[in-house]
Amino acid sequence: MKYFLIISLLLSIFSCSSEENTRSADPEDDTGTPLISSAIPIYNQAYQENFEADKMSTILDNAKNGYVLLDPFQEAVTDHVAAIQANGNQVGAYISIGTGETYRDDYEQIKPYLVATPWGEWPDEFFVKETTTGVLEVMKARIDKIAAWGFDWVEFDNMDWAFDDEARTTYKLTASKSEAIAYYQELCAYVHSKGMKCMAKNRVEDAADFDGVLYESYTDEKNWWDQSGAQSFLDAGKLVIINHYNEKSCGEVYSEYKGIYNDNLSFICEDAILKKYVHYNE
C-alpha cells in the first residue's frame, strides 16, 4: 500500500507538471492570458491564377467555420449558400466593380459606362470609364440579387482600377481618383444597407468602413501592398486574408507572413505541386 501511494503521488506531480508545461507553451499577452488566433479557413470558388479553384464538392465536404468566396453569377452556385452557412461559414459573393465582363448577364446594361479597349490581361473585361452616371445602378442591382440569395459578404474586385496612371492613359479612363473612391465607398454603404459586409480587394486606403480585405500575393511579389493598412485592419479585429499563388512552399510563405503580421492573419495558397488551393486554420 505504501508503494502504491508513493507511485500515485509521483504520477499526480508529473501530471500537474505536464499541464503547466503545456499551458506555458501557449502564446500569452502581457497579463498572462492565453491568446486565441482569430484566423479562419479560406475557400475560393470564384477565381484562381494557375490551377483550378475550389470545387463546390470540396467546399461542402470540408469548409467549416471559415470564409467561402463564391461567384454568385455562375450556374447553380447560389443553390449551395445555405448549406455552406450551415457548417458555420461566412459566404462572400465576388463582383468586379472596376470592370465589365462580356460573359455576365448584365453586360449590355454596363457596356455604356466602359472603355472601348479590352483589358490586355483579361480580354473579356473592359475597365469602367466613368462612375457618375448609370454604372452605380448596375452594381446596386447586382448587390440586390446577392442580398436576396442570402450572402454574408460582397467582395469588391478591381476596386483599384483607376489608380494606375499608365492604365488611365492607355484605356482613356475619365473617372477621377476621388470619384473612384466615392464610388466604392457608396457601394460599400449600399452593401451595409442590405445587411451584408464589404470585403476590400488589394487596397484599404479610403476604405475604413470596409469590414475586411483580401490581398493577392505572388511568389516573386509578396507583401507589395501598404503594410500599415493591412496591419490597421488586423488591429481593428477585421478579417485580413492573403490569397497566395503558384507556390511550392506554402507553409514557409504562411510563416513568413505571420512573422510580418501576426497569427490572426488568414491564408490560402495555390500549391504548385498539388495544383490546387491548400487551406490553413482548419
Side-chain angles (χ1 to χ4, degrees), residues 35-43 64-67 88-90 234 237-242 254 257-258 261-268 279-282:
L35 296 174
I36 300 174
S37 171
S38 60
I40 60 175
I42 307 300
Y43 284 77
K64 304 284 191 301
N65 303 313
Y67 172 80
N89 297 296
Q90 305 169 58
L234 281 171
K238 296 182 178 183
L239 182 57
V240 177
I241 302 167
I242 293 179
Y254 183 35
Y257 272 125
K258 286 194 292 183
Y261 297 103
N262 57 43
D263 287 350
N264 294 329
L265 182 76
S266 298
F267 186 74
I268 178 174
H279 312 94
Y280 292 78
N281 307 116
E282 292 184 304

Side-chain angles (χ1 to χ4, degrees), residues 113-208:
Y113 316 111
L114 305 177
V115 300
T117 305
W119 187 1
E121 296 179 58
W122 309 98
D124 291 328
E125 294 190 54
F126 295 77
F127 285 117
V128 170
K129 184 177 183 179
E130 51 84 16
T131 62
T132 57
T133 55
V135 67
L136 266 170
E137 299 311 312
V138 177
M139 292 296 170
K140 287 179 178 179
R142 290 182 181 181
I143 293 167
D144 289 340
K145 291 180 180 179
I146 290 166
W149 289 326
F151 282 82
D152 304 294
W153 292 74
V154 180
E155 184 169 306
F156 290 16
D157 196 11
N158 298 312
M159 59 184 284
D160 56 353
W161 94 102
F163 296 89
D164 183 275
D165 290 333
E166 183 177 350
R168 295 181 63 80
T169 301
T170 301
Y171 297 101
K172 298 180 173 59
L173 304 181
T174 59
S176 68
K177 295 177 183 179
S178 61
E179 287 172 342
I181 291 168
Y183 170 66
Y184 65 66
Q185 287 177 341
E186 182 170 347
L187 286 175
C188 182
Y190 192 72
V191 166
H192 285 157
S193 76
K194 296 294 179 177
M196 299 181 292
K197 296 180 180 180
C198 304
M199 181 68 71
K201 183 80 173 285
N202 291 328
R203 67 175 279 122
V204 297
E205 293 83 354
D206 301 295

Side-chain angles (χ1 to χ4, degrees), residues 34-62:
L35 296 174
I36 300 174
S37 171
S38 60
I40 60 175
I42 307 300
Y43 284 77
N44 190 343
Q45 177 271 337
Y47 54 81
Q48 75 293 328
E49 275 288 311
N50 304 282
F51 311 112
E52 64 180 7
D54 285 319
K55 294 180 179 179
M56 191 62 69
S57 58
T58 299
I59 293 169
L60 291 168
D61 290 343
N62 298 289

